[in-house]
Amino acid sequence: MENAEVLVAIGILFLAGLLLDKIGRIVHVPRVTLLILLGALLGPPVLDLLPHSFNESNEFYAPTALTMVAFLLGGTLNPSTLKAHGREIMIISLTLVAVSVAVVSAGLWLIGLPVAIAVLLGGLSAATDPAATHDVITQTGARGRFAGNLLGIVAIDDAWGLLAFSGALTIAGMLMDQDAMVAMLHGAREVGGAIALGLAIGLPAAFLTGRIKPGEPTLIEALGLVFLCSGLALYFGFSFLLTGMVCGATIVNLARHHERPFNEIERIEWPFMLLFFVMAGASLETANLAGIAYMCAAYCVLRALARLLGGWIGGRLAGLPPTESRLTGLGLMPQAGVAIGMALVASERFPTMAEDLLAVAVASTIAFEIIGPFLTQIALHRAANAEAISD
């Protein structure tokens, strides 16, 4: 019976997703936001109509969906994009991560949080949402330098974010008298392992894929690589998002016989993404929110401020026009489930802070996933208008 209920729920959600996509285009609301609200409505936060076993299947389609997105975003780091915008992307992404960690950590410490949890939440704040950003840009049909920069930044932002979070784990461990060397090795293993695994899969794939159907990888090849990346990364405890990005970037830069590597994934990624966003809304647990509402509010305000400040500073350092510099942070507000994954890692390392970390991570992710796509859409619209005026 449970399997039947899950299949029925998936069928209803797919059809509802089509309807919400149509509604979103009419009322100009990002479908990502509508799907998260649908998940909250149908899930435990409100009506609790989804099958209880539905949550368990999220362990399969969430990594799969995010790995698909990672492949596509890694594919944007092609030679022409890097040549045109590589310097801008690197400067802005590094500045955003540094400012986010510094502002959020310092701000939370100044309002009275223990320094260890302030540092960990600062590390979480660096996480972005490649899926939501990519989807909003696709939905709006945005083109040009600003949209290209956003895609390039979110493609590598989580790599710097993971490095920053690994550093936050190390600092928190030292502050709590834990073994700093163990914390450092854990972070290095997660990031270094993901890079090595992405290269190990991407290097042979760059030369072997696309041979059956000349010029393009087939759907089976693309899916096979996605499942390999996500499955092996999960098995070894590496970042599947970083693994997918490295693999996709490796293939797009080395596979000269491909015109558009992994364009087959674009045709099938949305069903996985739909379920991922619905479950993001359904995962919100309201029981722990009342006691730490001030912490959630402070984190959200500080992260939003850090995004705006970091985007402006990074844009100016990279030589972007003033308008684009002001809009960059606004376009990068969404925060993905990778922040929840970071919180889970930190919770395992520091059980005494687990409840607070998870509650803030989940609540803020839902908040930024609801508000963030709106802000990304606004930033893209304003940037397009500015580009039109300058032309």
Side-chain angles (χ1 to χ4, degrees):
M1 274 307 278
E2 287 188 359
N3 289 337
E5 291 175 353
V6 170
L7 290 174
V8 170
I10 291 175
I12 292 173
L13 290 174
F14 281 169
L15 296 175
L18 285 175
L19 179 61
L20 290 177
D21 188 25
K22 180 66 175 179
I23 293 173
R25 294 178 188 277
I26 294 173
V27 300
H28 303 291
V29 175
R31 57 183 172 181
V32 172
T33 301
L34 294 176
L35 288 171
I36 291 172
L37 292 175
L38 176 66
L41 176 65
L42 297 180
V46 183
L47 299 177
D48 197 14
L49 296 179
L50 295 174
H52 292 154
S53 57
F54 194 62
N55 261 332
E56 298 174 2
S57 57
N58 191 39
E59 296 178 3
F60 164 74
Y61 54 73
T64 304
L66 291 175
T67 304
M68 288 181 179
V69 172
F71 263 95
L72 294 174
L73 290 173
T76 65
L77 299 177
N78 54 58
S80 59
T81 300
L82 290 174
K83 184 177 180 180
H85 306 302
R87 176 180 172 273
E88 298 172 0
I89 290 170
M90 292 292 287
I91 291 174
I92 296 170
S93 62
L94 285 169
T95 304
L96 269 169
V97 169
V99 171
S100 293
V101 174
V103 169
V104 175
S105 298
L108 292 176
W109 176 66
L110 288 173
I111 66 170
L113 265 66
V115 64
I117 194 169
V119 168
L120 288 172
L121 289 174
L124 294 183
S125 70
T128 54
D129 187 354
T133 306
H134 180 267
D135 188 64
V136 171
I137 291 174
T138 301
Q139 186 181 6
T140 58
R143 296 290 186 270
R145 181 175 64 182
F146 184 75
N149 277 347
L150 291 188
L151 286 174
I153 291 167
V154 296
I156 59 176
D157 230 18
D158 281 320
W160 309 134
L162 284 170
L163 290 171
F165 181 68
S166 298
L169 283 174
T170 302
I171 294 172
M174 290 188 291
L175 291 170
M176 298 187 68
D177 295 324
Q178 293 192 7
D179 192 336
M181 183 58 67
V182 172
M184 189 179 299
L185 290 175
H186 186 279
R189 179 184 180 277
E190 182 177 358
V191 175
I195 294 173
L197 181 59
L199 289 172
I201 297 174
L203 286 172
F207 298 99
L208 296 176
T209 57
R211 302 296 184 181
I212 297 175
K213 182 181 179 183
E216 296 291 345
T218 65
L219 177 61
I220 297 299
E221 288 174 330
L223 278 176
L225 291 173
V226 165
F227 289 129
L228 266 179
C229 279
S230 59
L232 288 175
L234 288 171
Y235 179 80
F236 290 112
F238 302 153
S239 166
F240 53 82
L241 191 63
L242 185 55
T243 300
M245 285 191 288
V246 171
C247 187
T250 300
I251 292 172
V252 78
N253 282 283
L254 296 180
R256 303 302 180 190
H257 59 291
H258 291 329
E259 295 174 10
R260 290 183 63 212
F262 302 108
N263 69 321
E264 293 285 348
I265 294 177
E266 295 177 1
R267 305 174 187 175
I268 62 166
E269 68 166 333
W270 179 240
F272 291 93
M273 295 308 306
L274 184 150
L275 295 175
F276 173 73
F277 287 125
V278 168
M279 289 312 303
S283 65
L284 180 62
E285 295 183 10
T286 58
N288 299 330
L289 295 182
I292 59 166
Y294 77 98
M295 192 186 302
C296 293
Y299 172 86
C300 290
V301 170
L302 288 167
R303 184 180 183 273
L305 176 63
R307 294 270 106 181
L308 295 173
L309 183 62
W312 179 76
I313 294 174
R316 300 308 293 156
L317 290 174
L320 295 184
T323 301
E324 289 187 23
S325 297
R326 289 193 299 270
L327 293 173
T328 297
L330 191 70
L332 295 167
M333 283 292 177
Q335 174 181 293
V338 68
I340 300 175
M342 290 178 177
L344 288 170
V345 172
S347 298
E348 292 177 2
R349 193 78 55 81
F350 311 109
T352 57
M353 297 186 288
E355 186 174 327
D356 289 350
L357 285 171
L358 286 173
V360 172
V362 172
S364 62
T365 296
I366 298 300
F368 280 114
E369 286 292 78
I370 291 174
I371 300 171
F374 278 110
L375 301 178
T376 301
Q377 201 171 59
I378 291 170
L380 289 166
H381 179 69
R382 291 182 179 177
N385 289 340
E387 288 179 7
I389 293 173
S390 63
D391 290 341

